Amino acid sequence: MKRYLSTILYGLLSIIFVAGARFGLINAYEQIVIMFIGINIILCSSLNLINGYMGEFSCGHAGFMAVGAYVTSILNIWFFTSSPVFGGPLFSPGSAIFLFPITLIAGGAAAALAGMLVAIPSVRTRGDYLAIITLAVNYIVKSSIENIQVIGGARGFMGMGKVVDSMTSVINLPWVMIWIFFFTAVCIWILNHFVNSTYGKGVIAVRDDEIAAEIMSVNTNRMKMVAFTLSSGLAGIAGGLFAHVLGYINPGSFTIMKSTEIMVMVYLGGMGSLSGSVLSAVSFTLLMEILRPLQVYKWVLIPLLLIILMLYRPEGIMGNRELTDVFPKLRRYFPSREL
Amino acid sequence: MTLEMFFQHFLNALQWGSFYALIALGYTLVYGVLLLINFAHGDIFMVGAYIAFFIASFLLGSYSLQLPFVLDGNTIFVITVIITMVVTSCVGVTIERVAYRPLRKKGAGRLYVVITALMCGLVLENGNLALLGASRKSFPELIEKSIYTIGGITFTNVKILVIVTTILVFILLETIVRKTKLGMAMRAISYDSVAVLLMGIPLDVVIVFTFILGSSMAALAGVLFVTAYPVLEPYMGAMVGWKAFIAAVVGGIGEIRGAFVGGFILGFIEIYVAAVFPSTLRDLIAFAILLLLLSLKPTGIFGIARAQKI
Amino acid sequence: MALLELNNINHYFGGLQAVSNFNLNIDEGVLFGLIGPNGAGKTTIFNLVSGFYKPTEGEIRFNGKSIKGLKPHEVTSLGISRTFQNIRLWNSMTVLENLCISQHYRLGYGFIDSILYTGKYIEREKNVIKSAREFLEILEMKEYENEYPKNLPYGLQRRLEIGRALTIKPKILLLDEPAAGMASGDIEQLIQLVKWIRGKFKLTIWLIEHQMKVVMALCEKIDVLDFGEIIAEGTPSEIRKNPRVIKAYLGEEVTVHA
């Protein structure tokens, strides 16, 4: 029982927040902050797989997020609402309540596919070239969306609010928040199992010594493809959730700036540490909100803080260790993985 | 496209590519020596443009503190260029000294330094925004623009100035890197920074020199850019910087020739794409072509694949 | 039929010919040594065999089948394992993990199993860890299970690397200068270890070495390589007397150590 304490705590926490949102104990702004924390956890931990565990340098995570956001949003608008572009709803609007996770996963799958396409050329190239490829892909995705007028082009795409409304009209619950809690847990579960399996540790072997990995029978190209596909797929799901928190997306939400923000979270938490990613996503999101009154100065202060942090603790909050490595006693509250 | 149009665009592309080439140079020089992608470099370009703006305004007598004599536009331009290059170099070196060097001494991973570089860029950008506000500034016209037309192709003296300066800079830098002791030390460091230390080459001096070269070229690009397109805003460096970085990689990062060729290729693609297609497609097509070039030759045009040793 | 055949291998780096017209047959069960001065092309030949380079010309056969053009991990999974001149362990992972990951090619489960935590995954993963622990015991390194390789003394790192190569369950083991940088006491242990694993796993071993002491103590058959070409072949005692070998080694090292 004790082993599942962490899981139970997370479940309780989710229920408290969902109930709080349902009964108006948490105001709309606080709800959005909570939901952004979840989304940032997904984004940060998924990028950590590439930049931290695999030691490559991907700086276009927002591009994959955009793919997921747009695909999920378009599917939802097409399926569940009447819009000038897609006509009437394909399914009854109320069915969104159980089809929503499926469209989310579809968005994730589209992003994963995009990630796989990027991984193919980058398997041949090394190190810093992946930075360029992902950077260029980020621009290409943003620029492509801007040029497709059907989905709003540079003006953006809206109407996801209606989808959310049709879900709440069936059962009055904060559905987007529920799905964020759910997918955050799924994301951490997947990544945790992946990087702790001998199979997934192939990714870490690639980071430590790629030549040794390849010669010691690790199919390094496949590992890179898997890691990249998984990471971008999760970013896609985060994108889909992000679109439904705001109810509106435009290409400007998925710029290099957004990618930079995610990268900052990864490095703040520590490369190759999942608990670090979670901690840093929570603290970074909160910090951004606390510093909001500073307006422009926020974006001077935060980078400065990070530069100073780098000088005194270059490995981030956790380095490549997990919380359970630092406090071994915590281990008894997490599901066992002893083999 | 008529032949005249073609040559008109050709000239424009040369000018546009010149800016990319000059900025790409800073990326390439620093990468060649430190294997560091100095993401703050685009913003150094922006800082250069702003410094030039303030110096030019001061020399023109726009502030309450004024010079006791009046200078003509061309003299002001030359002085502005020189002072801007010096001051911007100081900014570049300061960043190296304060943010990068301590990390290097600690032996922090390269990726951490890259993040620091990104942060430095953000500080410069947003610091500027916070101090000077979001309003755009317009650069005073220092050089009287004269327009020439030869065989249906029009060009200005500024355009010629930009292109000629870039070519001169290229020759100068190639000479520095190939012929001078410091230049040779720079090349040596990129091969083996440990052995270089053992040979008694002062690593820090060479690195500072590299940053001076890179930053002053970005400053030069900044002055030339605002002379040609006299609008300044805090984010002018970000986009140009990212693109110049990609140009440097396409040319083969670490190679001076590569930075120039890459810069010009990007300039040409952008100008000709915008001439043929709607300008909203410019970035899309430009990046797609660059990706294609990179997948054909992953090391860039002049880059040499370094053999991995087992 | 020889276990490993290299036929007329030529390899160029740009214009430089690193290996010229190299022929070699290694029979099953032999402990074979390849020696030669620095830069003679020894490691290049290992890299060609393990698939890290593709030979410009020539054919490489293992068990009668061509392995030319295969990826290194494919070559390894056929049963050709190797160590490196400069130790290449995965330093951010523990000794045990190092011995697990090298079993990658026979994990028998994939991505989906690993994230869904299926029964197959648990069973296979248990086997992997069990097998890794067995190797730890064989290496007499049980107490270092949770240690990080970089914290181990040099001799133990070498031993671990050999152990890691063994977890592949190879038919032939390529040792690239296993005694490089070792103290003489460690070298003695190494010689014993190589002899022992050979007997225990019935391995064919191919050794590249500088230290004559190691080669002479271990190998049954020796080839001498110089400037990418074989200049002599024979048993240790024959090689010791060969004038071309003595010349290639400046006439000293061979006699001093032998």
Side-chain angles (χ1 to χ4, degrees), chain B residues 27-43:
Chain B
Y27 282 106
T28 265
L29 285 172
V30 171
Y31 189 89
V33 171
L34 287 179
L35 293 181
L36 159 71
I37 309 173
N38 181 11
F39 276 137
H41 193 66
D43 296 303

Side-chain angles (χ1 to χ4, degrees), chain B residues 157-292:
Chain B
N157 50 350
V158 173
K159 213 165 265 183
I160 299 301
L161 175 75
V162 171
I163 299 168
V164 170
T165 312
T166 308
I167 294 169
L168 287 179
V169 163
F170 172 66
I171 296 169
L172 176 77
L173 280 176
E174 276 285 319
T175 324
I176 289 179
V177 168
R178 307 225 167 262
K179 298 281 156 63
T180 67
K181 262 194 175 160
L182 265 174
M184 284 191 256
M186 281 167 64
R187 286 194 292 149
I189 288 175
S190 67
Y191 280 103
D192 193 335
S193 60
V194 178
V196 156
L197 268 180
L198 297 176
M199 293 296 126
I201 296 172
L203 192 60
D204 285 337
V205 174
V206 180
I207 288 169
V208 165
F209 177 69
T210 310
F211 272 87
I212 289 178
L213 268 188
S215 307
S216 56
M217 291 311 138
L220 183 62
V223 184
L224 292 175
F225 187 86
V226 288
T227 309
Y229 307 92
V231 182
L232 294 97
E233 46 117 4
Y235 292 109
M236 64 188 279
M239 188 71 176
V240 176
W242 289 106
K243 285 184 175 175
F245 165 56
I246 295 183
V249 175
V250 167
I253 198 157
E255 283 284 328
I256 288 179
R257 288 171 299 166
F260 277 90
V261 171
F264 281 116
I265 288 178
L266 185 58
F268 273 84
I269 293 174
E270 289 204 348
I271 294 286
Y272 280 99
V273 165
V276 179
F277 300 101
S279 65
T280 48
L281 288 176
R282 191 184 68 180
D283 285 357
L284 185 60
I285 298 176
F287 282 114
I289 294 176
L290 294 180
L291 265 192
L292 192 72

